[in-house]
C-alpha cells in the first residue's frame, strides 16, 4: 500500500506542487523566523560578551532615590572617593569610571548620523598607560580639553570628519562645536548596531550628564590570579545603598537574556504570519486530497474489492500526505534559511547594522520544520482519508463522483449555526461591556464567528452566488449563467476554496476600517486642537529624554517668533495615587492649543489653579472649586484648586494642566516634551528656517509642521496596516492555488459535459470565459463574506474605543474595500488560466465518450 501511495503522489505532479507550495510557505516563515532570531540572539549576545571583556566586576549606581517624604536621598552617582577605595582594594588592577548620555553628531547638512536610539556620549577614561580599554585609536588621541571630543570610526567616516575638524554635537540643549582630537574603534554593541559614540573629557561628561565628581558606573579589572567572585565580595561593602555590583560574566549573561526577551516581539510577529499561512493552507490541502480521492474513487474501490481493508485504504491516503508533508518540510526549511539570510541582508541595507556571525540552524528549528510540515499536511488529509474508507466498493465502481449526503450537510449547518450564534452573542456582549473587557469578549466572539463562517460556507454559497448570477448572465450570456451554476454544483468544495480568501479579508478589512477610522479621529484631533505653526521635539528614536529649558529660552529670543509654549511633563501625588500633569504657559496656551472647556476658565491657570480633563473629573468626582491636597516631587505640599474642566485631549496633554511656574518650582529638572511655536506671519519656509536657526540647526531636534504632526500620529497605524496587507498578500497567493485546484477538479468532473457543450456550439473562447467566470465567482464569494464580517468586527471593536479616542466615528474606506474586491476578482482570473486552457483544448469527441 505504501508503494501504491508513493506511485499516486508521483502521478499527480501538478497538484502535488500546489500542495507543497501551500505547506512550504508556512514552514518557510516558521523556520526562517527561528533561524533569523537564533542567529541574531547569538550575534548580539556575543557582542554583549565582548563589551565585558576584561571587566571582572561592574559597579552601577541607581542615582538618588526619593524617601517617604518625597525628598531625594543619597548621592547622584558613585563618588570619586568610592572609586579610590575600590582602586585600593587588593586584587584590583585598574578601575575606570564611566558616565554616559545622549550625544548626536550631525553631518555637513545637519542630518543626524547613526540611529537615534543608540547615539550616545561618554567619557574618555585612560588608565595609567594613557589608554582607554574601551577604545582603540586609529587616528589622533583622546580628548584632553573641554572643547575636544573623539568619535568612533564609522561615525567619523559617515560625516567625513578628520582629526582637527570642527564637529557640531547635539544634546537635549543647544548645539555646541568641538574640535575632533581622535578617531577610534570600539566593541560597543550599540555602535556596532549602527549608533554613534562621542567621547568627552571626564569633567565635561560629568558636568553634562551627572554632576562633577560622580560616575554612573565603575569597570573593575582584576589582577592575575584574582577571581571575580572574590573581588565582588571585597568591593560590595565599599558601596553606598544606591549602588550595586555584579561580575562581568553575570552581566553578560543577563544582557543575553534581555536580548532574548526583546527579540520575543519580533519573533511573535513573524510567527503570526507563519500561523496564518499554515491555517489558510489547511483548506488547500484538504481540497487537494478531496479531489485526488474523488479522481481515484474507482481505483480505491478496486483495491477494496481485491482484499484491501478500509484501514489500509485510509493509511494509503495518509501515507501520501506524509510523503508530501516531508517534502514540503524539507523545501520549507531550505527556503526559510534563505529567507533568514535575506532578512539579515535587508536589515543591514536599511542601516540597522547587525553583528556578523554564522547562521544558527538549531536542531529544534529542523525538528519544528519537519513536525509542522508533516502534522499540518496529515491533519488536513485525515477527513478525506476517512471518507475514502467509508465508500462501499460496489457504489464507488458505479459512480466516480459521490455527492455528500443531505444528512451530513444538515448536521454541518446546525453545527455552524451554533458556532455563529455563540460568536454573535460574545461580540454583542463585548459591545455592551465596552473598554478592554469588551474587546476581549469581541476577540472570543470573532474566533467563534470565523469558525461558524467556515462551517456555514456551503449553505451561504447558494444565496450569495445566486445574487451574482443575473448580472453575470446579462453581461456574459450563456458562459456567465453556466459559471454561476457550476460554482454551486459542489458547495463543499466551493466553500473550502473561498474560506482562505474570506479569512484573510476578514482580518485585513477589520483592521483597515479600524486603522483608517482611528487615523481620521487622530487627524481631526490634531487639526482641531493644534493651532501652533510648529512643534519642536527631540527627533524620533533619540533617547535624550526631554528638551532642555534653554530651548524655549533660545526660541523666545529669536526674531520673528511670537509665541513659545513649552509643554512639560510632571506629576504630583494625592494620597497614595500619582496624577500625571502637563505644565504649560498659561499666558500663551490659547495661542498654540485649542482646549475646549466644559466649565470654568483656563485663565485660572495663571492664578496657580489647575484644570482637569472631563473624564478624569468624572472618575475622581472633581468640579470647579474642588481642592486637591497634593504633594510634589520635592516633598512639598500644596492645596490645588480646580479652576476649569476641559474636554479630553489625549495624546496632546495629560489629564491635569498646571502652570509651568508652579510645576517648575517643585522640579529640579523639568521634562519638556514639546515646545509649540508661532511665527510672525504664520507657517512658511522662511519662518521654519528661523526656528531651525534659533535651535542652532540641532540635528537631534525636529521642527514639525501641522501636517508633520498629523503624519506622525498616524504613523504607527500605517505600519500596522502595511503588516496586514502583507497578510492579505499571503492569503491571496494561497487562494490562487486553491482556486486552481478547484477548477482543475471541476474540469475533470465535467469532461463529458464540456464535450457536449462544445458539440452543440459553445466555442473554445466561451468555454474559457465560463471557467474564468466560475473562478471569479468563487473568489468574489469569499471576498464579499470576508469584507462583510470584517466591517462588522471593526464596528464592534470601534464601539469600545469611543471613550478612549475623542471624536471616534466609524469610517468605511470604500476605495480600499473596492480594491480588495478587485484583487479577489484578479485572483480568480489568474487562477483560471491553466484550467480554462485545459478545458478549451479538450477534444470534443474524446470528451463525450469519457465516463
Amino acid at each position: 500500500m505504501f508503494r501504491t501511495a508513493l506511485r499516486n503522489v508521483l502521478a499527480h505532479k501538478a497538484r502535488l506542487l500546489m500542495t507543497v507550495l501551500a505547506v512550504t510557505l508556512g514552514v518557510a516563515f516558521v523556520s526562517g523566523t527561528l533561524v533569523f532570531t537564533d542567529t541574531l540572539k547569538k550575534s548580539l549576545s556575543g557582542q554583549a560578551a565582548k563589551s565585558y571583556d576584561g571587566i571582572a566586576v561592574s559597579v552601577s549606581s541607581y542615582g538618588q532615590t526619593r524617601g517617604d517624604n518625597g525628598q531625594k536621598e543619597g548621592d547622584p552617582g558613585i563618588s570619586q572617593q568610592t572609586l579610590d577605595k575600590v582602586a585600593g582594594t587588593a586584587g584590583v588592577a585598574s578601575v575606570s569610571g564611566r558616565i554616559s548620555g545622549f550625544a548626536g553628531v550631525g553631518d555637513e547638512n545637519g542630518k543626524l548620523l547613526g540611529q537615534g536610539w543608540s547615539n550616545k556620549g561618554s567619557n574618555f577614561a585612560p588608565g595609567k598607560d594613557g589608554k582607554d580599554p574601551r577604545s582603540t585609536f586609529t587616528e589622533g588621541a583622546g580628548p584632553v580639553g573641554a572643547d575636544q571630543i573623539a568619535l568612533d570610526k564609522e561615525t567619523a567616516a559617515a560625516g567625513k570628519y578628520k582629526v582637527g575638524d570642527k564637529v557640531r554635537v547635539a544634546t537635549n540643549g543647544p548645539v555646541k562645536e568641538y574640535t575632533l582630537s581622535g578617531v577610534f574603534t570600539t566593541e560597543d554593541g550599540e555602535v556596532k548596531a549602527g549608533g554613534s559614540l562621542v567621547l568627552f573629557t571626564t569633567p565635561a561628561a560629568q558636568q553634562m550628564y551627572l554632576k562633577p565628581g560622580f560616575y554612573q558606573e565603575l569597570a573593575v579589572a582584576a589582577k592575575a590570579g584574582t577571581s571575580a567572585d572574590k573581588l565582588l565580595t571585597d568591593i560590595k561593602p565599599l558601596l553606598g545603598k544606591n549602588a550595586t555590583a555584579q561580575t562581568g560574566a553575570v552581566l553578560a549573561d543577563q544582557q543575553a537574556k534581555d536580548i532574548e526577551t526583546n527579540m520575543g516581539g519580533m519573533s511573535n510577529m513573524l510567527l503570526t504570519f507563519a500561523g496564518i499561512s499554515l491555517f489558510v493552507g489547511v483548506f488547500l490541502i484538504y481540497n487537494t486530497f478531496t479531489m485526488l480521492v474523488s479522481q481515484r474513487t474507482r481505483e480505491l474501490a478496486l483495491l477494496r474489492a481485491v482484499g484491501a481493508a478500509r484501514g489500509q485504504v485510509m493509511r494509503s491516503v495518509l501515507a501520501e500526505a506524509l510523503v508530501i508533508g516531508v517534502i514540503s518540510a524539507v523545501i520549507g526549511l531550505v527556503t526559510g534559511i534563505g529567507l533568514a539570510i535575506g532578512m539579515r541582508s535587508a536589515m543591514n541595507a536599511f542601516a540597522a547594522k547587525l553583528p556578523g556571525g554564522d547562521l544558527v540552524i538549531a536542531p529544534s528549528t529542523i525538528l519544528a520544520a519537519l513536525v509542522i510540515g508533516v502534522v499540518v499536511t496529515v491533519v488536513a488529509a485525515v477527513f478525506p482519508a476517512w471518507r475514502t474508507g467509508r465508500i462501499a466498493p460496489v457504489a464507488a465502481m458505479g459512480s466516480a463522483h459521490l455527492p455528500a449526503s443531505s444528512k451530513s450537510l444538515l448536521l454541518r449547518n446546525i453545527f455552524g449555526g451554533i458556532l455563529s450564534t455563540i460568536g454573535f452573542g460574545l461580540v454583542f456582549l463585548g459591545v455592551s461591556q465596552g473598554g478592554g473587557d469588551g474587546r476581549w469578549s469581541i476577540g472570543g466572539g470573532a474566533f467563534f464567528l470565523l469558525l461558524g463562517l467556515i462551517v456555514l460556507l456551503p449553505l451561504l454559497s447558494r444565496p450569495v452566488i445566486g445574487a451574482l448570477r443575473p448580472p453575470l448572465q446579462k453581461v456574459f450570456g450563456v458562459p456567465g449563467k453556466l459559471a454561476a451554476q457550476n460554482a454551486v454544483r459542489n458547495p463543499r468544495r466551493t466553500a473550502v476554496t473561498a474560506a482562505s480568501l474570506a479569512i484573510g479579508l476578514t482580518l485585513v478589512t477589520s483592521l483597515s476600517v479600524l486603522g483608517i477610522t482611528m487615523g481620521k479621529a487622530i487627524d481631526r484631533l490634531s487639526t482641531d486642537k493644534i493651532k501652533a505653526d510648529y512643534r519642536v521635539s527631540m527627533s524620533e528614536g533619540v533617547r535624550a529624554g526631554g528638551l532642555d529649558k534653554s530651548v524655549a529660552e533660545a526660541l523666545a529670543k529669536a526674531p520673528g517668533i511670537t509665541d513659545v509654549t513649552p509643554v512639560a511633563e510632571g506629576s504630583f501625588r494625592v494620597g497614595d495615587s500619582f496624577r500625571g500633569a502637563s505644565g504649560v504657559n498659561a499666558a500663551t496656551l490659547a495661542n498654540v492649543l485649542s482646549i475646549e472647556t466644559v466649565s470654568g476658565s483656563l485663565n485660572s491657570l495663571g492664578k496657580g489653579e489647575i484644570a482637569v480633563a472631563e473624564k478624569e473629573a468624572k472618575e475622581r468626582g472633581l468640579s470647579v472649586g474642588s481642592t486637591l491636597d497634593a504633594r510634589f516631587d520635592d516633598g512639598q505640599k500644596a492645596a490645588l484648586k480646580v479652576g476649569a474642566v476641559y474636554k479630553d485631549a489625549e495624546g496632546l496633554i495629560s489629564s491635569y494642566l498646571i502652570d509651568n511656574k508652579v510645576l517648575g518650582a517643585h522640579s529640579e529638572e523639568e521634562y519638556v516634551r514639546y515646545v509649540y511655536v508661532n511665527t510672525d506671519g504664520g507657517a512658511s519656509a522662511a519662518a521654519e528656517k528661523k526656528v531651525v536657526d534659533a535651535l542652532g540647526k540641532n540635528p537631534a531636534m525636529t521642527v514639525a509642521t501641522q501636517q508633520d504632526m498629523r503624519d506622525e500620529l498616524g504613523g504607527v497605524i500605517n505600519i500596522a496596516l502595511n503588516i496586514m496587507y502583507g497578510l492579505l498578500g499571503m492569503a491571496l497567493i494561497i487562494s490562487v492555488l486553491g482556486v486552481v485546484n478547484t477548477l482543475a477538479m471541476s474540469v475533470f468532473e465535467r469532461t463529458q459535459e464540456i464535450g457536449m457543450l462544445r458539440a452543440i456550439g459553445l466555442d473554445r473562447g466561451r468555454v474559457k470565459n465560463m471557467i474564468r467566470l466560475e473562478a471569479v465567482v468563487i473568489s468574489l464569494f469569499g471576498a464579499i463574506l470576508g469584507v462583510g464580517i470584517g466591517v462588522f468586527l471593526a464596528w464592534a471593536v470601534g464601539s469600545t474605543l469611543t471613550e478612549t479616542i475623542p471624536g471616534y466615528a466609524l469610517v468605511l474606506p470604500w476605495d480600499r474595500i473596492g480594491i480588495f474586491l478587485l484583487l479577489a476578482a484578479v485572483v480568480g482570473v489568474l487562477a483560471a488560466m491553466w484550467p480554462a486552457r485545459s478545458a478549451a483544448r479538450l477534444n470534443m469527441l474524446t470528451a463525450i465518450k469519457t465516463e
Side-chain angles (χ1 to χ4, degrees):
M1 293 301 291
F2 183 76
R3 287 198 301 271
T4 301
L6 188 60
R7 178 182 60 79
N8 285 325
V9 169
L10 297 175
H12 300 89
K13 297 182 180 64
R15 294 196 187 100
L16 166 66
L17 176 62
M18 287 185 283
T19 306
V20 167
L21 281 173
V23 183
T24 296
L25 279 173
V27 174
F29 270 109
V30 172
S31 56
T33 296
L34 295 176
V35 170
F36 176 71
T37 52
D38 287 346
T39 300
L40 198 53
K41 286 174 193 174
K42 183 179 179 181
S43 299
L44 293 174
S45 298
Q47 191 65 57
K50 281 184 181 180
S51 65
Y52 287 101
D53 280 351
I55 298 177
V57 175
S58 177
V59 181
S60 301
S61 170
Y62 295 124
Q64 292 179 303
T65 57
R66 295 191 183 277
D68 294 335
N69 61 357
Q71 297 284 357
K72 287 186 177 180
E73 297 177 349
D75 293 330
I78 303 166
S79 66
Q80 182 65 44
Q81 290 79 3
T82 302
L83 184 150
D84 294 338
K85 290 179 183 178
V86 172
T89 303
V92 172
S94 64
V95 180
S96 175
R98 300 178 180 177
I99 317 103
S100 64
F102 168 75
V105 177
D107 62 14
E108 58 185 4
N109 298 317
K111 184 179 178 181
L112 187 67
L113 295 170
Q115 306 299 313
W117 60 270
S118 54
N119 295 126
K120 70 177 181 179
S122 187
N123 62 310
F124 176 62
K128 295 177 181 178
D129 58 358
K131 297 180 180 179
D132 187 332
R134 297 174 300 170
S135 6
T136 302
F137 279 83
T138 58
E139 297 177 45
V144 293
D147 61 344
Q148 293 182 333
I149 60 163
L151 284 178
D152 67 275
K153 186 176 180 180
E154 287 78 10
T155 303
K160 300 177 182 178
Y161 291 118
K162 299 187 180 301
V163 173
D165 287 349
K166 296 293 183 181
V167 181
R168 296 168 68 252
V169 179
T171 59
N172 60 344
V175 176
K176 294 183 180 179
E177 198 168 70
Y178 297 85
T179 301
L180 183 62
S181 67
V183 176
F184 59 88
T185 58
T186 178
E187 293 297 331
D188 187 286
E190 293 180 335
V191 174
K192 293 289 186 181
S196 64
L197 178 59
V198 181
L199 293 183
F200 303 90
T201 61
T202 295
Q206 289 174 329
Q207 181 69 40
M208 188 180 301
Y209 299 125
L210 196 60
K211 189 176 181 180
F214 289 90
Y215 302 89
Q216 293 164 333
E217 296 179 23
L218 301 181
V220 183
K223 291 180 179 178
T226 303
S227 72
D229 291 332
K230 173 66 168 59
L231 210 54
L232 180 65
T233 303
D234 294 340
I235 288 174
K236 277 187 174 180
L238 305 177
L239 307 177
K241 65 178 183 179
N242 294 338
T244 183
Q246 290 178 291
T247 64
V250 168
L251 282 172
D253 290 342
Q254 182 61 49
Q255 198 165 48
K257 290 179 182 177
D258 292 341
I259 289 169
E260 186 169 355
T261 301
N262 293 333
M263 291 292 294
M266 180 193 297
S267 178
N268 291 336
M269 182 188 74
L270 295 173
L271 288 174
T272 299
F273 275 83
I276 292 175
S277 176
L278 288 167
F279 181 67
V280 174
V282 165
F283 297 100
L284 173 58
I285 301 164
Y286 170 83
N287 233 6
T288 300
F289 277 95
T290 299
M291 289 186 293
L292 292 176
V293 167
S294 179
Q295 287 183 357
R296 290 163 38 216
T297 303
R298 289 188 176 183
E299 174 192 327
L300 295 172
L302 183 60
L303 289 173
R304 291 285 310 280
V306 298
R310 285 185 177 183
Q312 286 180 300
V313 173
M314 281 185 63
R315 287 192 292 274
S316 168
V317 177
L318 292 177
E320 291 181 46
L322 178 65
V323 171
I324 292 174
V326 171
I327 294 172
S328 303
V330 172
I331 296 174
L333 176 62
V334 174
T335 306
I337 294 171
L339 184 63
I341 295 172
M343 290 168 68
R344 188 163 71 167
S345 300
M347 290 188 72
N348 284 328
F350 284 103
K353 297 179 182 177
L354 302 178
D358 297 330
L359 282 178
V360 177
I361 306 173
S364 58
T365 300
I366 298 173
L367 181 63
L370 291 172
V371 169
I372 290 170
V374 171
V375 169
V376 167
T377 311
V378 171
V379 167
V382 165
F383 188 65
W386 176 72
R387 289 180 64 192
T388 301
R390 294 186 64 199
I391 299 175
V394 174
M397 287 182 184
S399 176
H401 316 299
L402 299 174
S405 67
S406 58
K407 180 182 177 181
S408 67
L409 286 174
L410 177 63
L411 292 174
R412 176 175 181 146
N413 293 339
I414 292 172
F415 182 57
I418 293 171
L419 288 174
S420 299
T421 302
I422 294 172
F424 277 113
L426 287 173
V427 169
F428 284 115
L429 175 64
V431 170
S432 64
Q433 288 177 321
D437 292 338
R439 288 191 285 277
W440 278 109
S441 296
I442 292 170
F447 174 74
F448 283 102
L449 199 56
L450 281 174
L451 287 181
L453 171 68
I454 292 167
V455 176
L456 287 175
L457 278 175
L459 177 66
L460 296 172
S461 63
R462 293 189 182 277
V464 175
I465 295 176
L468 295 173
R469 179 177 169 181
L472 283 174
Q473 184 173 350
K474 185 175 182 180
V475 176
F476 298 100
V478 173
K481 178 182 178 180
L482 293 174
Q485 290 176 339
N486 292 332
V488 292
R489 178 175 292 187
N490 191 327
R492 281 180 181 271
R493 193 163 62 228
T494 297
V496 174
T497 305
S500 59
L501 198 57
I503 292 168
L505 277 173
T506 296
L507 293 172
V508 174
T509 301
S510 59
L511 288 167
S512 291
V513 172
L514 276 173
I516 289 171
T517 302
M518 286 192 288
K520 294 286 186 183
I522 291 171
D523 188 65
R524 284 194 298 270
L525 174 66
S526 57
T527 301
D528 296 343
K529 301 294 184 185
I530 299 176
K531 297 164 62 178
D533 296 331
Y534 301 102
R535 188 197 66 194
V536 177
S537 64
M538 299 306 292
S539 297
E540 183 180 358
V542 169
R543 62 179 183 182
L547 296 161
D548 188 81
K549 62 181 181 180
S550 60
V551 172
E553 294 171 357
L555 289 168
K557 295 175 183 177
I561 295 178
T562 56
D563 294 308
V564 177
T565 304
V567 177
E569 297 298 321
S571 65
F572 55 85
R573 191 159 60 178
V574 178
D576 294 329
S577 67
F578 279 92
R579 314 285 174 89
S582 291
V584 296
N585 283 359
T588 58
L589 175 63
N591 296 335
V592 296
L593 295 177
S594 178
I595 308 298
E596 184 181 350
T597 55
V598 177
S599 57
S601 172
L602 292 177
N603 292 331
S604 61
L605 294 173
K607 303 174 186 177
E609 298 178 0
I610 62 171
V612 187
E614 184 179 20
K615 182 180 176 182
E616 177 75 7
K618 288 179 180 178
E619 291 179 356
R620 304 284 186 179
L622 300 174
S623 60
V624 174
S626 300
T627 302
L628 297 177
D629 294 323
R631 185 165 66 187
F632 288 94
D633 289 346
D634 60 357
Q636 295 187 27
K637 296 180 179 180
L640 300 176
K641 182 180 177 181
V642 177
V645 176
Y646 59 90
K647 291 280 188 182
D648 293 81
E650 293 185 29
L652 293 178
I653 52 176
S654 301
S655 296
Y656 292 86
L657 284 181
I658 189 170
D659 192 277
N660 269 325
K661 293 177 182 177
V662 178
L663 188 64
H666 299 285
S667 303
E668 291 182 11
E669 294 182 5
E670 285 186 275
Y671 179 90
V672 179
R673 176 174 292 180
Y674 303 127
V675 176
Y676 290 100
V677 177
N678 276 329
T679 54
D680 189 11
S684 66
E688 185 173 349
K689 185 176 184 302
K690 290 178 183 178
V691 177
V692 172
D693 290 343
L695 297 171
K697 297 180 181 178
N698 193 320
M701 293 183 189
T702 297
V703 178
T705 63
Q706 288 195 3
Q707 185 59 50
D708 292 335
M709 294 179 230
R710 288 194 288 271
D711 293 343
E712 178 187 321
L713 289 168
V716 175
I717 294 173
N718 290 331
I719 291 172
L721 287 178
N722 289 334
I723 292 173
M724 287 302 106
Y725 294 147
L727 292 177
L728 173 61
M730 195 161 49
L732 288 176
I733 292 172
I734 297 177
S735 296
V736 167
L737 301 177
V739 177
V740 170
N741 260 355
T742 295
L743 293 178
M745 184 61 196
S746 179
V747 170
F748 168 77
E749 289 179 351
R750 303 195 327 257
T751 300
Q752 187 180 62
E753 176 188 317
I754 291 171
M756 293 294 294
L757 289 172
R758 289 288 314 283
I760 62 175
L762 196 69
D763 58 29
R764 288 184 175 182
R766 286 194 286 180
V767 168
K768 287 183 179 181
N769 281 343
M770 178 183 70
I771 302 299
R772 290 192 194 103
L773 290 171
E774 183 179 344
V776 170
V777 166
I778 293 173
S779 298
L780 285 177
F781 166 56
I784 290 169
L785 291 179
V787 168
I789 298 295
V791 169
F792 171 70
L793 293 177
W795 164 79
V797 174
S799 66
T800 68
L801 298 172
T802 51
E803 293 186 3
T804 307
I805 302 176
Y808 183 94
L810 187 68
V811 176
L812 292 181
W814 294 109
D815 55 341
R816 300 201 186 193
I817 290 175
I819 290 172
F820 295 159
L821 295 176
L822 179 62
L823 284 174
V826 171
V827 164
V829 172
L830 293 176
M833 292 177 65
W834 174 59
R837 183 169 177 268
S838 298
R841 293 181 65 187
L842 286 174
N843 182 289
M844 69 177 72
L845 295 178
T846 304
I848 290 171
K849 291 188 293 183
T850 301
E851 296 183 9

